Amino acid sequence: MESSKISIVPSVLPADFSKLGEDLLALEKAGVDRVQWDVMDGHFVPNLTFGPDVIAACRKSTSVAFEAHLMVQNPDLLLTNYIDAGCELIIVHVETAPHLHKTLKTIRDAGAKTGVALNPSTPLEVIRHVLDLVDLILIMTVNPGFGGQAYISTMEKKIEEAAKLIRATDHVIELEVDGGIGPNTIAGAAKAGANVLVAGTALFKDPKGLEHAVSDLRSKAIAAKNN
Ligand code: DX5
């Protein structure tokens, strides 16, 4: 069953790492729905970002919910670390979880929500048999590793397929997209079925500020769904 709510979720990848607490407070004031931490280990993707201690240190800066997007070689080793750091939703890449059913059950048993992320080339088929353990599907619209990349519009077909898969289930699953989401691309992703839209560059680089960026993206996504 699809979620009807449109959520705008910032990636903090483009934030000022020297003042993360302040940037998180600014995001909360700008009306974001939750915050995504792009966790990268330098192995699954050629970049290195946030450990659980950084997230735990930032937890007290805002009441906005945290989600961890684990772009790491072996997420099973880190699941409880990011839950204990204050992330209520843990997103794992199916490409890094050979025992995905067990990984998702471990997250659920630890009291967090589960997300499954699929790289552009990964077919949806891989998650068909674990949907009962899935709270969110993340369709990557860039190849993971860096912010500021171009949106891969051919993923809209896959977003449509994911939305169809979700409509056939008997529980609520959010459909998230991440990568190159901005004023010129959000409508295509929303119209295809996405209801959680992750943006980094488009939010932090908006010359009119975060509040404008969040409301502009939200209104464009809602308009696209209603047309
Ligand atoms: C890729 C990252 C980025 C980031 C958002 O691994 O996951 O997609 O969150 O990047 P922007 O919004 O700058 O394309």
Side-chain angles (χ1 to χ4, degrees):
M1 189 188 319
E2 63 186 328
S3 163
S4 56
K5 181 177 184 299
I6 287 284
S7 296
I8 302 296
V9 177
S11 156
V12 289
L13 214 50
D16 181 341
F17 289 3
S18 71
K19 55 182 188 63
L20 273 175
E22 290 168 48
D23 277 8
L24 285 165
L25 199 52
L27 287 167
E28 179 176 354
K29 287 178 179 164
V32 299
D33 294 282
R34 55 179 188 257
V35 166
Q36 182 182 97
W37 292 88
D38 280 308
V39 176
M40 302 179 185
D41 67 353
H43 295 283
F44 178 60
V45 293
N47 200 350
L48 199 55
T49 58
F50 313 103
D53 292 350
V54 170
I55 296 172
C58 291
R59 184 58 279 176
K60 58 184 177 296
S61 302
T62 173
S63 58
V64 174
F66 287 171
E67 65 180 45
H69 174 191
L70 299 184
M71 289 165 274
V72 299
Q73 197 58 45
N74 193 337
D76 290 329
L77 299 178
L78 296 163
L79 299 174
T80 48
N81 304 55
Y82 283 93
I83 295 169
D84 294 347
C87 298
E88 64 179 57
L89 167 61
I90 304 294
I91 304 171
V92 298
H93 271 262
V94 297
E95 301 88 0
T96 66
H99 305 289
L100 184 59
H101 184 279
K102 185 178 173 188
T103 300
L104 297 175
K105 194 161 179 332
T106 302
I107 296 169
R108 278 270 181 87
D109 290 349
K113 287 185 177 178
T114 63
V116 287
L118 289 85
N119 279 345
S121 64
T122 304
L124 270 170
E125 187 57 32
V126 295
I127 59 171
R128 179 179 299 281
H129 300 296
V130 293
L131 287 177
D132 58 310
L133 290 172
V134 171
D135 299 305
L136 176 141
I137 298 173
L138 167 50
I139 305 293
M140 292 301 291
T141 45
V142 293
N143 289 294
F146 299 91
Q149 301 180 80
Y151 175 77
I152 304 174
S153 59
T154 50
M155 290 299 112
E156 288 175 5
K157 187 90 188 76
K158 189 170 165 185
I159 298 167
E160 287 169 3
E161 287 172 21
K164 190 174 171 200
L165 196 61
I166 289 170
R167 282 194 293 273
T169 61
D170 58 3
H171 64 288
V172 176
I173 299 179
E174 289 187 295
L175 182 48
E176 180 171 293
V177 297
D178 176 2
I181 295 296
N184 301 324
T185 58
I186 195 164
K191 194 161 185 62
N195 51 54
V196 182
L197 299 117
V198 175
T201 305
L203 289 181
F204 284 92
K205 304 290 186 244
D206 185 325
K208 292 181 183 169
L210 282 174
E211 201 152 350
H212 170 267
V214 173
S215 62
D216 182 50
L217 289 182
R218 192 186 305 279
S219 56
K220 284 183 164 70
I222 292 169
K225 277 204 175 295
N226 294 338
N227 282 343

